[in-house]
Amino acid sequence: MAAYDRAEKREVHESPFQTLSKQVANLRVQDGNQTSQEAVEDEPKVVESIESLCISCEENGETRLLLTKIPYFREVILMSFACDHCGFKNTEVKSAGQIQERGAKYSLKVADEEDMQRQIVKSDTGVFRLEDLDIEMPAGHSQLTNVEGVLLEILKDLKSGQRKRKQEEPELWEKIDAIVQPLLKMTLNQKFPFTITLDDPSGNSWIEPSPKDKDLKYQKTDYPRTATQNAELGLGEPPAPASTNDNGHSNQPATSLNGSPTAHVVPQIPSDTQDSTNLEGVDILAGHNYSFPTPCPGCTKPAHLNLQLVNIPYFKEVVVSAVMCLHCNYRSSDVKTGGEVPRLGKRIYLDVREPADLRRDILKSETCCVKIDEVGVEVVPGTMGGRFTTVEGLLTQIRDDLRFTVFESEEDEAGNGGDSMPEMKRRGWNQFFEVINKAIKGEMAFRILLEDPLANSYVQSLEEELEGKDERLRKEDYTRSEEEDDE
């Protein structure tokens, strides 16, 4: 009886979003004999069919819905419509999950035919751009495809009507043809490399990663939405102009963590921004905790931004910030460094040889790039924000973030990767996580490189403990590139 109750409870709470293999496994195999009408009606269906109106001929057509999970990503609803009367067809993909706490921007340098087959989920709020040709597919149409499929769709739209334009508007035809020809070579795998980006304020678009991505080939950047973007997503009202003083700051004073006004007047962060880590113009005093009212990046309701100035020995003072929302339980933390922009960037090399090295304090600023060649890790600037932790803590955060991205579904938490993940990719990801787990446990030696164009990153030296020079820690200055200066 207890076993039956557990099975019934598990059935009630089972998610309707399952991988295709699990949905097919739930189907009963017909034995060819008679089956009762009731049994047929109770049979679980992989695809749901709904009669719906055709927008082309206004006759009735059929809409088919498939609820499924995508490896590396999350739950989606695949929809297709077909009308037998006029032949009209349409397909779309909708995110079945909630709007994410932050927007997301993906960048991929497509270098070979294998990259052309990477999956892409473009939600109806995502903007796809082909950076090399400066063309984009605007928000509005959602789809599940791959890189090649998106390029072919753009090519099809550009070529549409070209014959007529050549006769009537030869100048316009020539400008479009200048884009069509290189785009055609890209679709034929004759023009590599090129860069694509996908920017989605809702965070529900996605480009498939690979464990072989290195040298900034694949980048994902999470960013806080602005109040305007939240309003466009239906998460709040457009920002109203805030009353400010002569310095351009809000007249609302900051409060201490106990709710009373602080002894020192601290300018309020402007309320027209959702970036709770924007501390420009805010005077933070050592030895004080501050709490600012700020809209929550997740739900736009009132939240609290807590700040504290921390002095890192032999380095500089940094501001540790944390956003907390009591309405949606949103939590985030960040570290900001101050001071003028240095003339040179800084590279920090740390050779991790023993458990004591894993316990070193480490500050990774939001402009810092982290590389660990032995593990195959490369964290691009802006991906994780600022972090003040230990070497072990940084590696653990990188592992957990990647594992959540790759194995987000319940089936995949065991390392299976879903039914549609190719065996070779699944094996590659499992090998990657085995290596990074060895590094976290101190079972292998490796070198960490922190490359920060603003020299705002730091690794603790063990000179006092070693009673001499720390041979495993090395620092060097370097001249920033023009691209880094522009950023």
Side-chain angles (χ1 to χ4, degrees):
M1 184 68 177
Y4 173 79
D5 291 339
R6 287 195 298 269
E8 186 179 45
K9 183 178 181 181
R10 189 165 56 245
E11 181 178 353
V12 170
H13 293 286
E14 189 171 17
S15 170
F17 295 92
Q18 302 173 358
T19 56
L20 288 178
S21 62
K22 190 170 183 179
Q23 294 188 54
V24 174
N26 290 335
L27 296 175
R28 291 194 297 269
V29 179
Q30 301 285 341
D31 58 3
N33 300 326
Q34 69 274 12
T35 303
S36 66
Q37 182 65 28
E38 182 179 356
V40 172
E41 293 177 354
D42 292 340
E43 183 75 23
K45 298 179 181 179
V46 176
V47 178
E48 293 288 343
S49 298
I50 302 174
E51 186 177 7
S52 52
L53 181 69
C54 176
I55 62 174
S56 178
C57 66
E58 298 187 356
E59 296 287 343
N60 283 336
E62 183 182 49
T63 297
R64 296 186 176 185
L65 305 175
L66 172 62
L67 283 64
T68 187
K69 290 181 179 178
I70 298 178
Y72 311 108
F73 196 50
R74 55 180 67 95
E75 298 89 349
V76 296
I77 302 175
L78 303 181
M79 300 182 293
S80 68
F81 174 83
C83 178
D84 293 335
H85 301 281
C86 67
F88 176 76
K89 295 182 179 180
N90 184 38
T91 59
E92 283 193 22
V93 57
K94 293 287 187 182
S95 173
Q98 62 184 0
I99 295 175
Q100 305 306 302
E101 294 176 346
R102 288 173 172 253
K105 182 176 182 179
Y106 295 84
S107 175
L108 174 66
K109 184 178 291 186
V110 182
D112 50 38
E113 296 182 22
E114 185 177 354
D115 290 336
M116 293 285 284
Q117 303 308 314
R118 297 205 192 198
Q119 281 191 329
I120 289 181
V121 175
K122 178 185 174 297
S123 77
D124 51 9
T125 57
V127 176
F128 177 93
R129 282 187 56 85
L130 182 54
E131 300 294 342
D132 297 64
L133 299 180
D134 195 26
I135 57 177
E136 72 177 35
M137 178 184 290
H141 179 62
S142 57
Q143 57 186 143
L144 169 62
T145 180
N146 56 19
V147 176
E148 182 182 12
V150 177
L151 297 185
L152 287 174
E153 182 172 349
I154 295 176
L155 180 63
K156 179 182 177 181
D157 290 342
L158 290 175
K159 293 178 69 175
S160 177
Q162 272 293 81
R163 290 186 178 180
K164 186 176 181 180
R165 277 192 289 267
K166 188 174 183 180
Q167 299 294 330
E168 299 177 356
E169 301 178 85
E171 293 183 0
L172 179 59
W173 172 87
E174 186 176 353
K175 292 180 180 179
I176 295 179
D177 191 64
I179 299 176
V180 168
Q181 293 306 317
L183 181 57
L184 179 61
K185 291 182 179 180
M186 292 176 182
T187 60
L188 297 175
N189 302 323
Q190 297 176 358
K191 186 178 177 60
F192 293 119
F194 57 88
T195 301
I196 61 173
T197 60
L198 183 56
D199 190 351
D200 188 352
S202 74
N204 285 327
S205 293
W206 166 81
I207 296 178
E208 179 185 358
S210 169
K212 298 184 292 185
D213 291 334
K214 294 182 180 179
D215 299 327
L216 305 182
K217 177 177 180 176
Y218 179 93
Q219 301 180 52
K220 179 193 176 185
T221 304
D222 296 323
Y223 60 88
R225 286 185 292 270
T226 64
T228 302
Q229 289 173 327
N230 270 326
E232 291 173 349
L233 295 174
L235 296 178
E237 298 295 330
S243 60
T244 58
N245 55 29
D246 295 338
N247 296 326
H249 302 300
S250 171
N251 289 319
Q252 184 176 2
T255 60
S256 62
L257 293 183
N258 61 14
S260 60
T262 57
H264 303 275
V265 177
V266 181
Q268 167 65 39
I269 296 177
S271 60
D272 60 347
T273 176
Q274 291 287 343
D275 187 358
S276 59
T277 60
N278 179 15
L279 306 179
E280 183 178 356
V282 179
D283 296 328
I284 305 297
L285 304 177
H288 291 74
N289 295 331
Y290 296 91
S291 178
F292 294 88
T294 184
C296 173
C299 67
T300 73
K301 294 182 179 180
H304 294 283
L305 168 64
N306 300 325
L307 303 176
Q308 186 176 32
L309 192 64
V310 177
N311 182 28
I312 300 179
Y314 309 109
F315 186 55
K316 62 174 68 174
E317 291 180 332
V318 300
V319 176
V320 180
S321 63
V323 177
M324 179 178 62
C325 178
L326 299 178
H327 301 280
C328 67
N329 292 323
Y330 173 85
R331 299 286 191 278
S332 70
S333 60
D334 201 359
V335 179
K336 291 287 186 180
T337 56
E340 61 181 7
V341 177
R343 186 173 59 87
L344 299 173
K346 185 176 290 293
R347 294 189 182 100
I348 304 176
Y349 300 87
L350 173 64
D351 293 322
V352 179
R353 295 289 181 264
E354 58 184 49
D357 294 321
L358 292 171
R359 295 191 291 269
R360 293 179 189 243
D361 290 335
I362 187 170
L363 170 63
K364 187 203 85 69
S365 76
E366 61 182 0
T367 59
C368 177
C369 175
V370 181
K371 295 181 181 180
I372 310 176
D373 292 336
E374 293 84 354
V375 181
V377 165
E378 183 172 359
V379 180
V380 300
T383 301
M384 295 177 59
R387 288 288 185 273
F388 183 39
T389 178
T390 62
V391 174
E392 180 183 0
L394 182 63
L395 288 174
T396 302
Q397 184 70 51
I398 293 172
R399 180 199 63 188
D400 293 346
D401 287 351
L402 280 173
R403 190 165 187 82
F404 179 78
T405 301
V406 176
F407 298 140
E408 186 177 10
S409 64
E410 294 177 2
E411 295 88 348
D412 296 338
E413 288 179 358
N416 297 324
D419 62 291
S420 60
M421 180 185 289
E423 178 63 27
M424 184 175 298
K425 289 185 179 179
R426 184 188 301 122
R427 192 183 307 119
W429 280 115
N430 287 334
Q431 290 175 353
F432 169 80
F433 287 117
E434 287 177 5
V435 174
I436 196 172
N437 282 332
K438 287 183 178 179
I440 293 173
K441 295 176 182 178
E443 298 176 356
M444 62 176 289
F446 57 92
R447 170 178 287 183
I448 296 180
L449 167 61
L450 302 181
E451 185 172 291
D452 193 339
L454 297 182
N456 283 331
S457 295
Y458 158 85
V459 176
Q460 179 187 6
S461 174
L462 300 181
E463 288 185 358
E464 294 183 0
E465 296 183 18
L466 298 175
E467 297 181 353
K469 186 178 181 180
D470 190 346
E471 299 288 348
R472 295 194 289 269
L473 181 63
R474 181 168 60 90
K475 304 176 183 179
E476 67 178 25
D477 296 329
Y478 74 95
T479 303
R480 287 187 294 268
S481 64
E482 293 183 1
E483 181 180 351
E484 288 175 327
D485 276 329
D486 291 339
E487 292 178 354

